[in-house]
Structures are given as C-alpha cells and as structure tokens.
Amino acid sequence: MQPSEFSPNASHYYGPQREPPLSPAGYVVLSVVMAAFTGPAIVLNATVIIVSLMHKTLRQPLNYALVNMAVADLGTAMTGGVLSVVNNAQGYFSLGRTGCVMEGFAVSLFGITSLCTVALIAVERMFVVCKPLGQIAFQKKHAVGGIALSWLWSLSWNLPPLFGWGRYELEGVGTSCAPDWHNSDPGNVSYILAYFAVCFAVPFLVIVASYVKLMWTLHQVSKMACVEGGAVAKGEMKVASMVILMVLTFLVSWLPYASLALFVAFRPDVKIHPLVGTVPVYLAKSSTVYNPVIYIYLNNQFRKYAVPFLLCGREPRLDDEESEAATMVETAKVSPS
C-alpha cells in the first residue's frame, strides 16, 4: 500500500499529506495530550484487573461489572490511545486502509462496551438498593449475564460496517479511525442514526432512570429513618453528589462526540475544522481515565488493595468516614448468595 493512498473522508490520506490540517507542532501537542490520558488509563485499569486477580475478596458478583469496565477501558487505551499517540507523533495515520478498519472496529467495540457497562453498573446499584424483584439476591449469574449483554450489544452494532452497513474511516485530523459520520450516503446515515440511538441514547436513559429510582428510594429511607444528627440525610446528599458526578462525567465524555456526529450526519455539507472534529474524540477516550477513578478508586474495597499496589506496598491514611459516604451506593447491598 502506497503511503499516499487517499481516504474518501475529509480529504485525508493514509500516509504523509501534502497539506496536513495541522502543523507538525500541532500534531506533537495532540500526541502529548493523548499520552497524558493513555498512560494513566493503562496503569489504573491494569491495576484494577491485577488486584482483582490477586485478591479473592474482590471477586464477588457486584464487582464483576467494575472489572469488565476496566478491561474495556484498557482495550480502548491500548488500541485507540497508543495508536493515537504514535500516529500524532508522526503526523499521519500509518497503518493503511486495513489498519484503519481494524482500529476503528477495536476502539468502537471496547468504547461502547465500556459505555454500556456504565449503564450496567447503574442498573446493578438500583437492583441492589431498590430490590425491584423483592428478596431475590444479586447473584453471579446476574453479573455474568449483564457483562455478556454489554459485549454482545457492542459487537452487534460495531460489526455492520465490516459487512457494508456504514464504514470505518479516518476522523478529525486524520490520525485515528471511527464510524464514518461524514459520509452522506443514505445507508451510512441510517447506520449512524441507529448507532447513536442504541449505543448512546439507550444507555444514557438507562443510567438516568436507574439513578432516579435509586435516589428516590434513598430519599424515602431517609424520611422514615430517625438518626441522631441527620446522618441518613447527610449520606443521601453525598450519594446524590456522587450520582451527579457520574452522570456529568458521562455527558462530558460522550455527549460532544454524539452531538457532533449526529450534526454532521444531518448536515453533511457543513465544514468542520479537523481539530474541532478531534476534540470530541479525545473527550470520549478520556473516559478511560475518569471511569476507574470515579467508579473503582472511590470504592472502599478496591481502593484498599489498589492504592497500596500503586504505591508499592505503602499504606496511605484514609478518611474512612468520608470515603464510606462517597461510596454508599456500592456498600448498600445485600449479601450475594
């Protein structure tokens, strides 16, 4: 494959370009920014997986989804993150058309699996706290079923471009690949609309509905409980803050990408500067850092083992009262059978 092979998307080439959209210094800056996200993402998510394998107490059904998210985020960082660092350092995408399709598929598969796992975690927390099925305990089969669903859901919607419905193509400044939301072909537009409806809108609605139900249940409990000093109400407010943080980080990571993609799909003639198209991509990939910090390292169980692992055995002094309130949702659970 010649290094100057042309991509039909946004006048990009699979190789060095005569008139690149950014200066060499601009590409270096993007490479450094992506490295700043990718390095910590690999370390944090790999740590979660390692400590889960090392400590049996972490291998309980309610933690399966957290480990699954770490696996998906590590996959995103190792494929999309590392390749973005390398390609931006070179100033072009160096793997050709086949490499573009492979990268686009891998990053999308891991990314949507992670996104679906965020929704899965919300459902599991609602299930455990609200007990919509009565006294049926959350068991291993429920956790494994949810994880399998997240991967199958992602696979089902990322395979079609490999068989002609939609396509993977260069995006932004031409150093990474993703579903092609620039192509105005009716078949491609229909795929993009369906893709973002089921892979963004549906998970987001599930997240909101689950946390609304969870917060309502906690509010009802706090109204009925008579605890001196208002400890229940205080805990409820801290859980509410945690939920708001989770929803906001989800929106910051994914809403710009989904919005721009849908905007371009509806307005294919609009001119979007490559750098503007790249920013939402980087925000989406940044979730590989936010996710382990918010969902895992603010969890008492994981932090107890992960932080000493990262600090080579040192035991940091933790504020148990504050951390317990911040992770009330994780610890408000029934004993798994």
Side-chain angles (χ1 to χ4, degrees):
M1 180 171 292
Q2 298 298 319
S4 61
E5 183 182 353
F6 183 68
S7 161
N9 178 40
S11 298
H12 286 318
Y13 287 83
Y14 297 115
Q17 305 177 52
R18 295 178 180 176
E19 298 181 3
L22 289 181
S23 66
Y27 279 109
V28 171
V29 170
L30 289 181
S31 181
V32 171
V33 170
M34 182 51 63
F37 285 124
T38 301
I42 292 174
V43 172
L44 293 177
N45 288 294
T47 298
V48 171
I49 298 169
I50 293 171
V51 297
S52 297
L53 294 174
M54 291 173 59
H55 301 284
K56 187 177 180 180
T57 56
L58 295 178
R59 298 196 295 273
Q60 54 181 291
L62 282 170
N63 289 336
Y64 287 8
L66 297 176
V67 177
N68 185 64
M69 182 168 61
V71 171
D73 284 342
L74 180 62
T76 302
M78 293 295 292
T79 53
V82 172
L83 286 177
S84 291
V85 172
V86 174
N87 288 326
N88 278 313
Q90 297 177 125
Y92 61 92
F93 190 84
S94 59
L95 301 180
R97 172 63 190 163
T98 300
C100 180
V101 173
M102 293 175 62
E103 191 224 10
F105 172 73
V107 173
S108 298
L109 176 65
F110 288 125
I112 298 302
T113 299
S114 175
L115 189 155
C116 290
T117 305
V118 173
L120 174 63
I121 292 170
V123 171
E124 289 183 355
R125 289 173 174 175
M126 184 274 294
F127 184 99
V128 169
V129 175
C130 305
K131 300 181 181 179
L133 300 180
Q135 295 304 313
I136 297 179
F138 187 81
Q139 302 175 37
K140 180 179 179 179
K141 63 182 180 181
H142 301 130
V144 173
I147 290 172
L149 178 62
S150 69
W151 285 97
L152 288 174
W153 188 268
S154 179
L155 185 64
S156 298
W157 289 98
N158 286 299
L159 278 177
L162 302 181
F163 298 97
W165 188 30
R167 61 181 287 148
Y168 293 110
E169 194 51 79
L170 290 172
E171 63 180 351
V173 295
T175 53
S176 62
C177 296
D180 185 8
W181 31 274
H182 287 277
N183 194 325
S184 59
D185 178 77
N188 187 76
V189 172
S190 67
Y191 170 73
I192 293 298
L193 295 179
Y195 187 82
F196 284 98
V198 300
C199 293
F200 174 79
V202 170
F204 178 66
L205 291 176
V206 169
I207 291 169
V208 171
S210 298
Y211 282 136
V212 166
K213 173 65 175 175
L214 185 150
M215 289 306 304
W216 174 252
T217 300
L218 291 179
H219 179 66
Q220 295 300 106
V221 170
S222 69
K223 286 174 62 178
M224 293 185 294
C226 296
V227 181
E228 185 177 353
V232 173
K234 182 180 178 181
E236 180 191 353
M237 289 301 298
K238 290 188 175 180
V239 172
S241 300
M242 192 71 174
V243 168
I244 292 172
L245 177 63
M246 293 171 182
V247 173
L248 285 179
T249 53
F250 178 91
L251 290 176
V252 168
S253 297
W254 291 102
L255 185 59
Y257 186 83
S259 299
L260 182 62
L262 291 176
F263 176 73
V264 174
F266 281 113
R267 298 282 302 276
D269 296 331
V270 70
K271 299 296 182 182
I272 301 293
H273 190 278
L275 187 59
V276 174
T278 298
V279 172
V281 176
Y282 279 40
L283 288 174
K285 291 179 179 179
S286 70
S287 65
T288 59
V289 178
Y290 302 148
N291 285 342
V293 171
I294 294 174
Y295 288 91
I296 298 171
Y297 287 88
L298 292 182
N299 178 308
N300 279 342
Q301 280 188 315
F302 274 98
R303 188 172 66 248
K304 177 182 177 181
Y305 297 104
V307 174
F309 180 85
L310 289 171
L311 298 179
C312 301
R314 291 177 54 193
E315 295 283 350
R317 183 173 179 269
L318 299 175
D319 188 337
D320 292 334
E321 180 182 353
E322 291 296 321
S323 60
E324 183 68 24
T327 57
M328 182 178 173
V329 177
E330 288 90 334
T331 57
K333 57 193 178 184
V334 296
S335 298
S337 60

